[in-house]
Amino acid sequence: MRFLGKKANLLPRIDALLRARGLEPPGLFLDPFTGSASVARHMRQRGWRVVAGDLMQCAALQARAALGFGRPPAMSRVLQAPELEEFLRSAEGRAAVQATALPSEALGPQAPHALEEYWPLRAVVAFLNVGAAGAEGLVFRQYSPEGPAGRGYFTPHNARRIDGVRAALAAWRRRGLLDELEATLLSAALLDAVDRVANISGTYGAFLKSWAANALQPFALAVPFIPAGPVGVALRCDAAALARRVECQVAYLDPPYNQRQYPRFFHVLEVLALLESGANEEEVEADLGGTTGLPRSLLEDRLSRFCMKRQRGGAGGKPAEEALRELLVGLRARHVVMSYTEEGALDREAVLGAFSQVFPGFDARRDVQEVERKRFRSDADRSGREYRRLDGRGRNRVAEWLIYARRPEPTVLLAGGQRAFAWAAHA
């Protein structure tokens, strides 16, 4: 998904930081702001057992799909559905399965084995792409120009296809043909496919007035990749609450850094995730309004204090600063890595001051790296929009702070003067 602040490009630097401090799997790795789950997926592949969380349902759903399977699912019940059996017996169905590509990550020396292992998932995805009938559901009515709301997030054809796949998945769930994890995996594939054809410039805060090239491409699910590594856990929850519950070797923190509340800028994906998680469609649709179809009340519990530099209405208090301090104090992690941009709601003094207060021995000169990167822009450079140029940075360049801290190792004296460490890595 096209999430703000996606950290895929920062992964080599995070890996290098962990290795430099001797932090290698196995162990428990906490990712409480998982977002697109790129860090969670990568750390699982490195051998960590990952616990991930996010306030957003769409992010938690993606993380469950990335962490919840040890191998591609057999999909045995849904493959026995009459419509699937008929589809797979037909020449059209066999051709559709053959044309459905393996995930690129599954190719290479293991491709022959992967062809067999991924066949059930390929067959189900092929049916959803070719055999599932279109429908005029919530997406068509609320987010396509031919619907009564007249919003231009998806072409009418793609909106009907999205609603058709949604209807097929809902019917399979009602008939008991998908277990919870299988439904999660296919729902995550649906969200990825939706995002690929969305008529937006980067977020869902507005739709484009004319159709973008990607929006005119046909909607189609891709076969999701099942990463290797220990099976993990993903929850929709507040980061500070999760941090207090999980004792781990390493925690990676990637909190929101600007005033863009994710539920308001990714509301279309969140609405779909709500529906895929069992929310009542009539109630959800009744809550949508305004130019963009933003839910009026359903997403209020997903607003983050990290996006609030000041209290609403100008009252006293600094929510983002207080939220960071609360998170750091509650962490039950032996080692902490945090990424934060110099353009964030919190300045360097506030961020490093919080680390200094919570972690004895923290040294900003030693424990902070600056990683220069290209600024995220939701519009094209050619739009003419000017962003503030930071001192010492080129146009559209900003620095990411990569911060490391560790807690002092508490010890317990045993008989004979031996010491036992209270912190331990968890396999």
Side-chain angles (χ1 to χ4, degrees):
M1 296 190 300
R2 288 175 280 183
F3 243 38
L4 286 170
K6 195 171 181 178
K7 290 300 182 291
N9 292 335
L10 199 60
L11 288 172
R13 298 297 292 265
I14 297 172
D15 280 342
L17 187 156
L18 296 177
R19 283 196 301 269
R21 286 159 177 81
L23 299 173
E24 297 287 352
L28 196 64
F29 187 101
L30 177 65
D31 181 17
F33 299 94
T34 197
S36 65
S38 58
V39 173
R41 186 180 295 105
H42 174 79
M43 292 303 168
R44 177 190 179 181
Q45 290 177 280
R46 285 205 59 221
W48 296 98
R49 185 159 65 90
V50 180
V51 175
D54 204 284
L55 276 174
M56 295 281 284
Q57 186 72 38
C58 62
L61 191 151
Q62 290 284 345
R64 286 189 202 112
L67 301 176
F69 287 91
R71 57 181 297 172
M75 313 294 291
S76 55
R77 282 178 290 175
V78 73
L79 285 174
Q80 295 175 16
E83 63 270 31
L84 261 293
E85 290 185 334
E86 181 180 352
F87 176 75
L88 294 174
R89 283 196 300 266
S90 70
E92 178 191 33
R94 292 193 298 271
V97 176
Q98 188 68 27
T100 301
L102 282 173
S104 59
E105 300 94 330
L107 299 176
Q110 297 300 314
H113 177 65
L115 276 170
E116 179 182 352
E117 198 169 39
Y118 275 92
W119 185 89
L121 199 49
R122 290 173 71 207
V124 172
V125 167
F127 174 83
L128 292 171
N129 286 337
V130 176
E136 294 187 358
L138 180 145
V139 174
F140 179 83
R141 293 189 297 268
Q142 295 294 330
Y143 297 122
S144 82
E146 287 187 7
R151 302 180 182 108
Y153 281 103
F154 307 101
T155 65
H157 176 74
N158 278 340
R160 290 186 182 94
R161 291 287 306 118
I162 293 166
D163 280 327
V165 170
R166 289 181 50 240
L169 294 178
W172 289 345
R173 286 194 293 267
R174 285 194 303 271
R175 292 157 61 188
L177 300 179
L178 295 173
D179 65 29
E180 184 178 350
L181 270 178
E182 289 170 343
T184 294
L185 187 64
L186 294 175
S187 295
L190 168 68
L191 291 187
D192 277 335
V194 163
D195 195 50
R196 286 194 294 273
V197 297
N199 191 38
I200 59 175
S201 62
T203 76
Y204 292 79
F207 51 84
L208 299 176
K209 294 180 181 178
S210 57
W211 294 112
N214 69 288
L216 296 173
Q217 295 296 311
F219 169 80
L221 274 66
V223 177
F225 174 60
I226 309 300
V231 170
V233 176
L235 305 167
R236 192 193 81 78
C237 59
D238 174 72
L242 185 60
R244 290 191 296 269
R245 292 169 55 188
V246 179
E247 185 176 350
C248 59
Q249 187 176 4
V250 179
Y252 170 66
L253 310 179
D254 181 27
Y257 60 83
N258 63 27
Q259 296 183 63
R260 290 179 169 179
Q261 289 282 2
Y262 280 63
R264 293 170 180 163
F265 282 83
F266 294 91
H267 65 285
V268 174
L269 296 179
E270 191 67 357
V271 164
L272 291 176
L274 278 170
L275 296 173
E276 290 300 300
S277 301
N280 181 279
E281 184 162 323
E282 290 184 2
E283 292 178 2
V284 171
E285 190 163 10
D287 198 48
L288 306 182
T291 304
T292 64
L294 186 71
R296 300 179 183 90
S297 61
L298 285 174
L299 306 185
E300 286 300 309
D301 66 336
R302 289 152 170 77
L303 302 182
S304 173
R305 288 188 295 154
F306 284 93
C307 298
M308 303 174 189
K309 191 172 184 178
R310 296 280 185 270
Q311 291 281 13
R312 294 177 182 177
K318 299 178 179 180
E321 194 168 333
E322 293 161 5
L324 176 60
R325 201 170 283 115
E326 176 187 327
L327 174 65
L328 296 180
V329 168
L331 275 171
R332 300 175 65 197
R334 183 74 180 89
H335 304 270
V336 180
V337 178
M338 178 168 137
S339 56
Y340 200 78
T341 178
E342 63 183 340
E343 286 192 304
L346 299 175
D347 60 25
R348 186 183 178 95
E349 181 180 0
V351 172
L352 301 189
F355 271 82
S356 296
Q357 289 175 21
V358 175
F359 298 100
F362 174 75
D363 184 340
R365 292 169 297 181
R366 179 194 63 211
D367 297 327
V368 180
Q369 301 176 25
E370 282 198 356
V371 182
E372 189 171 309
R373 62 169 174 81
K374 187 176 182 180
R375 173 189 279 117
F376 172 84
R377 294 185 62 151
S378 61
D379 57 356
D381 284 354
R382 61 179 178 274
S383 68
R385 181 179 178 185
E386 283 297 323
Y387 288 76
R388 179 170 61 94
R389 183 175 294 192
L390 300 173
D391 292 342
R393 306 283 177 215
R395 183 175 182 271
N396 287 330
R397 304 295 296 180
V398 295
E400 191 97 8
W401 303 324
L402 199 54
I403 305 165
Y404 167 79
R406 63 177 290 173
R407 293 189 184 280
E409 190 139 29
T411 60
V412 179
L413 286 177
L414 302 178
Q418 293 180 314
R419 297 194 303 168
F421 294 105
W423 288 89
H426 292 256

